[in-house]
Amino acid sequence: MRPGLAIIQVGNNPSSLTYVRKKIALCEENEVHHELHHFPESITQQEIVHQIRTLNQQGSIDGILVQLPLPPHLSRLEISNEIKPSKDVDCLHMANFQNLLQNGEDNDIIPCTPAAVLHILDTQEIDVRNQNVTVIGRSQLVGFPLSVLLLRRNAKVTICHSETTVQEHVEKADIVISCAGHKELVKGQWIKNGAKVIDVGITRIPGTNKIVGDIEFQKALSKVSFITPVPGGVGPLTVSMLFKNLYRVWCRSNGLKLNIDEQDEELDYAQNYQF
């Protein structure tokens, strides 16, 4: 018996290609059965839905992942809601998302990037209680669920979005978590001395292989007490959290008890892979 993961990818977004390669590499390294269904950008909504419904019925597949972003003509919400909730390893189905809002970290699965951020906070022993935490970005995939999870940890959370004056909130923040996906949106001089910064954003500079985050890393480095780099920060750990979710849904679908020792080893591996 071994877990099975299906990845649906549409088009050739450079960031998506990078993440999919990492996921496939980890599948091969850990002998996880995997299928990549890579479609051209011209694919229709109906064709994607048909593929997901087929995978929902496939016994060898325990988890289904739709790699984001999708082209504008495809509805992420409708496509995510076609995934069988028990196979939704990204926690994007509305039923799973509602359970997350109700249960927080006690939920069966947590969206992969928020889970990666929480793991960084835990391993670095960063206590968010009563801390001013500025989260930049409000997407259902990262910013919004992460903000809810931080609130449940008793942080004082400010959510910034495209209509927010970001600078004034960053300047007051004890912890800055940016998941906007805009090149060096947060200037180094905005960050408070001693602040802790987690950079979730990733942007590939056109015409190059260079990847940068949302934070002006070099200018922030002298001011912060902790910061994650891009690349090599949250991204690889997000991939590892995907496999944690896959392990959980595989155990559940096969009536297996979650082995805590195996879970601890998995998190140790994730941390080593990340840092």
Side-chain angles (χ1 to χ4, degrees):
M1 295 175 61
R2 57 177 180 157
L5 176 67
I7 301 171
I8 295 175
Q9 181 182 359
V10 179
N12 294 295
N13 177 282
S15 297
S16 295
L17 290 170
T18 299
Y19 275 115
V20 168
R21 280 196 296 267
K22 289 178 180 177
K23 290 165 185 173
I24 290 175
L26 273 180
C27 282
E28 293 172 347
E29 184 177 336
N30 292 282
E31 299 183 353
V32 171
H33 170 69
H34 58 283
E35 299 178 6
L36 173 60
H37 301 272
H38 192 175
F39 299 103
E41 196 162 321
S42 58
I43 192 169
T44 66
Q45 182 97 0
Q46 291 75 16
E47 289 172 308
I48 289 282
V49 167
H50 176 75
Q51 181 64 71
I52 291 173
R53 290 176 177 173
T54 300
L55 293 168
N56 282 338
Q57 302 303 316
Q58 196 168 317
S60 60
I61 295 298
D62 300 285
I64 301 171
L65 166 72
V66 176
Q67 184 65 45
L68 301 178
L70 291 170
H73 71 282
L74 299 176
S75 168
R76 184 208 51 82
L77 182 61
E78 291 180 17
I79 288 172
S80 297
N81 283 330
E82 285 293 339
I83 300 173
K84 192 175 180 180
S86 61
K87 295 189 176 188
D88 172 31
V89 288
D90 244 347
C91 199
L92 285 176
H93 191 286
M94 287 308 298
N96 287 335
F97 192 71
Q98 182 178 3
N99 288 338
L100 179 76
L101 298 181
Q102 292 176 334
N103 303 322
E105 292 177 65
D106 293 330
N107 205 44
D108 277 351
I109 56 172
I110 299 175
C112 301
T113 304
V117 172
L118 294 180
H119 185 61
I120 290 171
L121 293 172
D122 290 340
T123 55
Q124 300 299 318
E125 299 181 347
I126 299 173
D127 189 352
V128 301
R129 284 179 298 177
N130 207 34
Q131 296 291 291
N132 292 315
V133 182
T134 293
V135 177
I136 304 169
R138 58 179 172 179
S139 71
Q140 187 182 335
L141 186 64
V142 186
F144 183 58
L146 176 59
S147 299
V148 171
L149 292 166
L150 291 168
L151 283 170
R152 293 178 70 96
R153 288 191 174 194
N154 297 314
K156 295 186 291 186
V157 179
T158 299
I159 305 174
C160 296
H161 48 77
S162 57
E163 299 299 319
T164 308
T165 304
V166 175
Q167 179 178 350
E168 64 179 282
H169 298 291
V170 170
E171 289 175 341
K172 301 173 187 175
D174 303 305
I175 301 169
V176 178
I177 304 173
S178 187
C179 37
H182 290 282
K183 173 180 174 287
E184 297 182 336
L185 170 70
V186 178
K187 307 308 176 186
Q189 66 265 27
W190 297 353
I191 297 170
K192 186 167 71 172
N193 286 330
K196 300 169 180 67
V197 178
I198 297 178
D199 193 348
V200 181
I202 178 170
T203 304
R204 186 181 297 274
I205 297 177
T208 73
N209 290 322
K210 186 178 180 182
I211 294 173
V212 297
D214 288 353
I215 313 292
E216 279 189 334
F217 184 83
Q218 291 300 328
K219 292 182 179 179
L221 201 55
S222 62
K223 302 185 70 177
V224 301
S225 60
F226 174 81
I227 187 169
T228 61
V230 176
V234 175
L237 189 55
T238 293
V239 178
S240 295
M241 293 298 108
L242 166 67
F243 283 84
K244 179 185 176 186
N245 283 349
L246 179 63
Y247 173 66
R248 284 180 171 273
V249 300
W250 175 68
C251 287
R252 186 175 57 195
S253 64
N254 287 283
L256 302 174
K257 185 178 179 181
L258 184 67
N259 187 310
I260 300 302
D261 291 337
E262 288 183 29
Q263 184 183 356
D264 289 343
E265 289 176 6
E266 186 177 89
L267 291 177
D268 287 342
Y269 175 81
Q271 189 176 358
N272 291 333
Y273 179 78
Q274 167 62 24
F275 299 110

